[in-house]
């Protein structure tokens, strides 16, 4: 059995069907840029101890990551959102580290997908 990939390719295929093969790479680039900005903001909120800010940014990233099949990113964002709402700074710090790794993996997998469909 192979390890799960960071991106659910079925969700990307559905996105491609809903839009077009030509548009998906552009959408992916917008998502990656937005996700990196949100992660930077989450990291800044963590440094400032702003757990409400972490919860809000995590919620937004959770939604967009689900659209692109980044299941691990989505899962971690949901946990991070809950940690922020519950005032759990220790869990938030641990989850931000995991989110950083998961987002890196998702971005690599999305880049590979774009390369595959761009031929």
């Amino acid at each position: 059995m192979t390890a799960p990939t960071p991106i659910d390719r079925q969700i990307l295929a559905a996105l491609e069907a809903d839009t077009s093969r030509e548009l998906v790479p552009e959408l992916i680039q917008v998502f990656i840029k937005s996700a990196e900005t949100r992660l930077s903001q989450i990291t800044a909120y963590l440094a400032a101890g702003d757990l409400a800010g972490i919860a809000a940014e995590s919620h937004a990233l959770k939604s967009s990551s689900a659209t692109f099949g980044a299941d691990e990113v989505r899962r971690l964002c949901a946990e991070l959102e809950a940690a922020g709402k519950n005032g759990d700074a220790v869990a938030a710090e641990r989850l931000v580290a995991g989110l950083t790794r998961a987002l890196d993996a998702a971005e690599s997998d999305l880049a590979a997908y774009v390369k595959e469909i761009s031929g």
Side-chain angles (χ1 to χ4, degrees):
M1 188 169 137
T2 59
T5 59
I7 299 297
D8 183 334
R9 299 294 177 101
Q10 289 181 323
I11 291 176
L12 289 178
L15 181 63
E16 197 176 307
D18 288 345
T19 59
S20 72
R21 178 166 277 207
E22 294 74 28
L23 185 58
V24 168
E26 185 178 328
L27 294 173
I28 286 172
Q29 283 308 113
V30 169
F31 165 69
I32 289 172
K33 184 171 175 42
S34 170
E36 288 174 350
T37 300
R38 290 198 185 283
L39 181 60
S40 293
Q41 191 61 55
I42 288 168
T43 302
Y45 284 142
L46 182 64
D50 184 346
L51 294 171
I54 288 172
E57 288 294 328
S58 297
H59 177 79
L61 182 53
K62 176 182 72 176
S63 300
S64 60
S65 61
T67 300
F68 290 91
D71 293 335
E72 182 67 2
V73 172
R74 184 204 49 75
R75 184 188 68 76
L76 288 166
C77 283
E79 289 183 27
L80 190 53
E81 180 183 8
K85 287 180 178 176
N86 294 330
D88 190 342
V90 173
E93 191 167 340
R94 175 182 50 79
L95 289 163
V96 168
L99 178 58
T100 300
R101 289 188 299 274
L103 190 55
D104 284 346
E107 288 178 5
S108 293
D109 203 25
L110 285 167
Y113 181 79
V114 167
K115 192 172 181 181
E116 289 168 22
I117 68 169
S118 298

